[in-house]
Amino acid sequence: MFIRLIRFGTSLFVLTFTLLATASLRAQADGTQRWAFTTLSTATAGSIVSSPAVAPDGTIYIGVEVGTSTSSSASGRLFALNPSGTQKWVYSAPDWIDSAPAIAADGTIYFGCWDGKLYALRPDGTVRWTYAAGSFIASSPAIGTDGTIYVGAGSDLVAVNPGDGSLKWSFPAVDWVDSSPAVGPDGTIYFGSWDGNIYALRPDGTKKWNYTTGDEVVSSPAVAADGTVYAGSRDAYLYALTPAGALKWRFDTRDTVEASPVLAPDGTVYVTTTGGRLLAFNRDGTEKWRYPAAAAAALSAIYSSPAVRADGSVVFGSSNNAVYAVRADGTLLWRTTIGDWSDSSPVVTGDTIYIGAADKKLYALNSTSGALATDWPQFHREARRTGWQPLGTTPGTSGQLINLSVRTTAGADENTLIVGFAVSGTGTRSLLVRGIGPTLTQFGVTGELGDPWITAFNENAVVAANDNWGAADNVGTIRTTAAAVGAFALPEGSLDAALLRSFSAGPYTVQVAGAGGTTGIALMEAYDASGGTGARLVNISARSAVGTGTGISIAGFVVRQDTRAVLIRAVGPGLAPFGVPSTLANPQLKIFQGAQLVAENDNWSVATNAAAVEAVGSAVGAFALPNGSLDAAMLMMLPPGNYTAQVSGVNNDTGVALIEVYEVP
């Protein structure tokens, strides 16, 4: 899928288009080689240990070792490649680059080098800054919600400010920190050390806890939505720890574990071992299966962290000079030969698997299944390799929801777009509410609602209504307020609808319908214009018909000032008890920040934190979802920014669904 983001001030909505090129690529056999980029000539000694990262624009970044461990003048290079496999640019460093790059929201590329420096490059390959840590960096950086970069340097875990590359703090472990840190939803930083410990640090660099294993920990932790921390050790055990650092379970794999564990959407834990096997575990630590099976000969050592794809298959590199894909039942899906062994962890994007190898090549393999944005499906969780877990909540966050919007099909009867929002606190908030149809054509939307009208209700009482915005009594104020809050201008005389008024604390609904019973795509927006500091918007919901393509339901919202805990739900089957007809049988929910997929959920009840989703839903006043239902829901910690929540049907099903976004106290 190609995602096109259109921004009008703080108004966001997303249009999705299926590209013929993508369909053509996916028609190729799964796992077949698309291209291989040679980073160094055959005459130049070197290797690739780094794992690739992919930016939202498709650019692939990967580090390279130049020379061998005995070379007198070893160096390193960071390559930036186009999705077609052609070089954009290359940056040369004075020592090896084994670190997987991490890509920030503004496009900055962070990576460590064996020269002891953390580098920050702009998307064009020029240097923003470097931080001299004083010791080698083989660890891959992680990026916190405030932009802080965390990376292991020698025997320290350092935190570096993103603006100028200055040191924020440094935490001394007892031995080397090769482990790549992971950042939990509450900002906790998890990492391992050669001193045998798994550490948890607060965002200020103070220690929360450490758990001692029986040997060195080079594995990068994986963090589940329920807070469980998974990491391997060279003592051959895979560990599952509670958020407080207590042991939940451990499993003796009989071989050292150096790769990062990963998690399927249902909580299945996958890890590879140096004994040459991929192991799958249930959440309670019992083994599901292993590949190759226990009775079969093992592969050569595996240092590559696996990646879980949307079809449930697991992809990993190996020392057998091949990339493997194994089905969710433990049987081989395919095996693709490459030119040498691969310690690199594959990155899965929409239609491609990228992986580096010791033959100094970056391979691009066709993928007929896309990436996941669930708990921790691949090394450092997602394609940008930020190492941040957004799923979970932290009480007492102070960010605010503002400027809410919904874009979907609107019309009459069951196609009426019904948007709910709530104002809490004391005093009033002045809200600009708009129902837009005709003006959407200026932005390439087809099938728009030709003449929308909006009606605002408090309970069952009508509090305001508008058909054509230009006929409103306060049209001048509507015009100036729209400009002040960053909303795009409505043409004079257009048939779009808008109203501006003060709303006191309480629940409200706005209905967007088509004049004369017409149906089409409409955008409903609610902008927080001004008002008392004691009142605020706290949630939005929208019930509408969910179609396919541009007819899916999209809610936009803005988090401002600080990080905010939110509950987001896409309800289809859960509407049936309320007598709603033609509900969406199996909704799926995806959260985007700009063009970047942040998180997704299909069935809420199989999530690792389903109990927390249920409890928080009750606390914020949301109706209960039936146990085992196919509705989707997520608890998330979101930093300030613009977001869209997309609701569509699994297998392109259609029907009526409710999308909800709640602030979590």
Side-chain angles (χ1 to χ4, degrees):
M1 298 294 289
F2 168 71
I3 299 184
R4 177 184 176 195
L5 175 70
I6 301 177
R7 176 173 299 186
F8 309 109
T10 54
S11 175
L12 297 174
F13 62 93
V14 178
L15 307 179
T16 58
F17 303 92
T18 303
L19 295 182
L20 293 177
T22 299
S24 175
L25 289 172
R26 291 197 171 180
Q28 299 176 14
D30 192 23
T32 56
Q33 181 178 312
R34 189 174 300 166
W35 50 258
F37 178 84
T38 302
T39 60
L40 302 174
S41 69
T42 55
T44 304
S47 184
I48 294 179
V49 176
S50 172
S51 299
V54 181
D57 67 356
T59 302
I60 310 109
Y61 301 97
I62 193 165
V64 177
E65 296 180 353
V66 183
T68 67
S69 58
T70 59
S71 298
S72 59
S73 58
S75 62
R77 296 180 187 173
L78 185 84
F79 283 85
L81 305 180
N82 294 301
S84 61
T86 57
Q87 181 177 308
K88 293 182 73 170
W89 51 260
V90 60
Y91 178 83
S92 295
D95 212 332
W96 289 352
I97 302 173
D98 290 345
S99 175
I103 305 168
D106 65 357
T108 300
I109 307 106
Y110 300 107
F111 63 92
C113 179
W114 279 77
D115 69 350
K117 291 183 179 179
L118 175 68
Y119 288 80
L121 303 187
R122 300 180 183 89
D124 63 1
T126 58
V127 177
R128 286 188 59 189
W129 51 256
T130 63
Y131 167 73
S135 188
F136 75 95
I137 301 177
S139 170
S140 300
I143 305 174
T145 57
D146 63 353
T148 300
I149 307 103
Y150 304 101
V151 71
S155 60
D156 295 333
L157 194 286
V158 298
V160 179
N161 289 303
D164 58 4
S166 60
L167 180 67
K168 195 170 182 179
W169 50 256
S170 178
F171 177 86
V174 180
D175 209 335
W176 290 352
V177 180
D178 283 354
S179 171
S180 300
V183 183
D186 63 351
T188 299
I189 306 103
Y190 303 96
F191 67 98
S193 168
W194 279 40
D195 64 18
N197 284 293
I198 301 168
Y199 289 94
L201 306 184
R202 299 179 182 89
D204 64 2
T206 57
K207 186 175 75 174
K208 291 180 71 172
W209 52 260
N210 65 281
Y211 182 89
T212 303
T213 74
D215 208 334
E216 300 158 350
V217 179
V218 298
S219 171
S220 176
V223 184
D226 67 357
T228 303
V229 180
Y230 300 92
S233 171
R234 284 177 172 165
D235 66 3
Y237 282 92
L238 174 67
Y239 291 86
L241 307 178
T242 70
L247 180 67
K248 292 182 73 171
W249 53 262
R250 67 175 189 166
F251 187 93
D252 186 358
T253 70
R254 306 288 180 177
D255 298 296
T256 60
V257 179
E258 303 207 1
S260 174
V262 299
L263 307 173
D266 65 355
T268 299
V269 186
Y270 296 102
V271 72
T272 56
T273 74
T274 59
R277 298 188 195 274
L278 169 70
L279 280 70
F281 300 94
N282 296 302
R283 293 186 204 175
D284 62 3
T286 55
E287 183 178 333
K288 294 179 73 171
W289 50 259
R290 58 182 57 197
Y291 177 83
L299 306 178
S300 298
I302 305 173
Y303 296 89
S304 172
S305 299
V308 185
R309 300 193 297 173
D311 64 357
S313 62
V314 185
V315 180
F316 60 94
S318 73
S319 299
N320 289 71
N321 298 2
V323 181
Y324 291 80
V326 177
R327 298 182 182 90
D329 63 2
T331 58
L332 181 65
L333 179 60
W334 50 258
R335 176 188 185 275
T336 298
T337 300
I338 56 178
D340 210 333
W341 51 266
S342 176
D343 286 357
S344 179
S345 298
V347 62
V348 179
T349 63
D351 55 27
T352 310
I353 301 163
Y354 299 104
I355 191 168
D359 62 358
K360 301 166 287 189
K361 293 181 180 179
L362 174 67
Y363 289 86
L365 309 182
N366 189 60
S367 182
T368 57
S369 181
L372 286 170
T374 48
D375 284 32
W376 206 271
Q378 54 186 319
F379 174 71
H380 257 196
R381 190 177 175 271
E382 31 83 279
R384 286 166 51 209
R385 307 296 203 193
T386 61
W388 164 54
Q389 171 59 281
L391 297 171
T393 61
T394 301
T397 53
S398 58
Q400 294 186 9
L401 288 178
I402 62 169
N403 301 0
L404 312 172
S405 64
V406 178
R407 198 220 71 185
T408 189
T409 300
D413 302 322
E414 68 271 12
N415 287 320
T416 298
L417 170 58
I418 303 174
V419 178
F421 60 88
V423 176
S424 72
T426 58
T428 63
R429 297 302 299 176
S430 179
L431 302 180
L432 171 64
V433 181
R434 310 200 303 179
I436 301 169
T439 301
L440 295 181
T441 60
Q442 297 184 6
F443 308 106
V445 177
T446 59
E448 77 287 352
L449 187 63
D451 187 3
W453 52 272
I454 57 176
T455 307
F457 296 84
N458 178 225
E459 302 294 345
N460 293 321
V462 176
V463 295
N466 179 261
D467 183 1
N468 301 327
W469 76 280
D473 293 338
N474 58 344
V475 60
T477 308
I478 289 174
R479 188 182 295 111
T480 57
T481 300
V485 298
F488 61 88
L490 299 178
E492 298 297 327
S494 78
L495 299 181
D496 304 293
L499 59 89
L500 175 67
R501 72 180 306 277
S502 293
F503 292 83
S504 57
Y508 298 89
T509 58
V510 176
Q511 294 188 10
V512 181
T518 56
T519 299
I521 302 296
L523 174 69
M524 180 274 174
E525 302 173 309
Y527 289 90
D528 191 341
S530 63
T533 57
R536 57 190 290 177
L537 280 170
V538 292
N539 67 50
I540 184 174
S541 62
R543 198 208 77 180
S544 68
V546 176
T548 60
T550 58
I552 67 173
S553 184
I554 302 172
F557 59 95
V558 178
V559 177
R560 71 174 178 186
Q561 295 180 343
D562 201 355
T563 301
R564 185 74 222 182
V566 295
L567 170 65
I568 307 174
R569 309 200 308 177
V571 185
L575 295 177
F578 302 99
V580 178
S582 304
T583 57
L584 186 62
N586 190 0
Q588 58 184 356
L589 174 63
K590 295 185 177 183
I591 309 302
F592 289 85
Q593 184 176 27
Q596 181 64 42
L597 178 61
V598 176
E600 63 181 310
N601 179 264
D602 184 2
N603 303 327
W604 76 278
S605 58
V606 301
T608 59
N609 64 340
V613 169
E614 185 175 27
V616 169
S618 176
V620 299
F623 61 87
L625 299 177
N627 289 331
S629 77
L630 299 181
D631 303 293
M634 287 183 285
L635 279 171
M636 301 186 69
M637 289 295 302
L638 295 178
N642 302 309
Y643 299 91
T644 53
Q646 297 188 11
V647 180
S648 59
V650 173
N651 297 323
N652 287 323
D653 288 343
T654 61
V656 175
L658 176 70
I659 183 170
E660 303 172 303
V661 182
Y662 294 90
E663 280 192 356
V664 177

